[in-house]
Amino acid sequence: MGEQGRWISSTDTKSCMTDKLDILQYCKKAYPKRDITNIVESSHYVRVAGWCKPGKNKCKLSRWVKPYRCLEGPFQSDALLVPEGCLFDHLHNQTKCWESYRWNSTAADTCRERNMNLRSFAMLLPCGISLFAGVEFVCCPKHLKGMYILI
């Protein structure tokens, strides 16, 4: 994502990186003027238009991807909106250093135990590259329609 908030093509020859350290290093290279300290996988998929096949100039394809966000400076958890009738909660455990998808699942399970649905979540307490020791989340009643994220 460019500084203007739009997806741009990368001149880097690597694509579809999966190693967390490689992704962190790529973030530092992509944003050299920023103090990139960690990464976190997005909680949702994003459609990227203008996707180019390697070595091709025509970029008409689109792809659904789950991007990583480059985190800058000291860690701050994302702010979460708590609609009326919903509950805010958090879980943290310094002995559990997990990726965001696992904390997402744990938060969703906690909401289900309360007969509610997970609306949103954010990571707490980084403990490694793309690893966290907690999650904060919002649970909403099941009867509130059209406001849930898919997990």
Side-chain angles (χ1 to χ4, degrees):
M1 172 104 23
E3 296 285 345
Q4 291 77 28
R6 293 191 189 114
W7 291 106
I8 58 173
S9 294
S10 173
T11 57
D12 199 296
T13 56
K14 278 188 174 183
S15 64
C16 300
M17 289 178 263
T18 57
D19 181 78
K20 307 291 191 236
L21 186 55
D22 287 345
I23 295 168
L24 177 62
Q25 293 305 322
Y26 185 83
C27 280
K28 290 179 178 192
K29 182 180 173 185
Y31 304 106
K33 295 178 183 172
R34 297 180 180 245
D35 178 26
I36 303 300
T37 57
N38 208 339
I39 57 173
V40 65
E41 188 176 29
S42 176
S43 60
H44 59 279
Y45 284 85
V46 174
R47 184 176 176 263
V48 178
W51 193 279
C52 302
K53 285 186 178 180
K56 303 289 182 183
N57 291 337
K58 291 185 180 180
C59 305
K60 295 183 180 181
L61 300 173
S62 66
R63 293 281 189 263
W64 285 95
V65 298
K66 200 169 190 185
Y68 279 84
R69 188 164 37 120
C70 308
L71 302 178
E72 182 177 12
F75 182 78
Q76 289 185 321
S77 183
D78 295 334
L80 299 177
L81 177 67
V82 184
E84 188 174 337
C86 299
L87 299 174
F88 173 85
D89 201 353
H90 69 283
L91 301 168
H92 67 276
N93 185 332
Q94 292 291 73
T95 66
K96 295 180 177 165
C97 196
W98 294 343
E99 292 185 275
S100 61
Y101 74 86
R102 192 158 174 197
W103 283 115
N104 177 18
S105 180
T106 302
D109 290 345
T110 301
C111 291
R112 270 193 291 277
E113 289 168 5
R114 297 173 178 167
N115 200 30
M116 301 177 99
N117 287 331
L118 177 64
R119 177 177 176 18
S120 57
F121 70 98
M123 295 298 95
L124 294 173
L125 310 167
C127 54
I129 298 172
S130 196
L131 296 171
F132 302 88
V135 63
E136 58 185 10
F137 54 97
V138 176
C139 299
C140 291
K142 291 183 175 184
H143 68 274
L144 294 178
K145 301 291 182 195
M147 57 186 297
Y148 305 111
I149 60 170
L150 297 175
I151 58 166

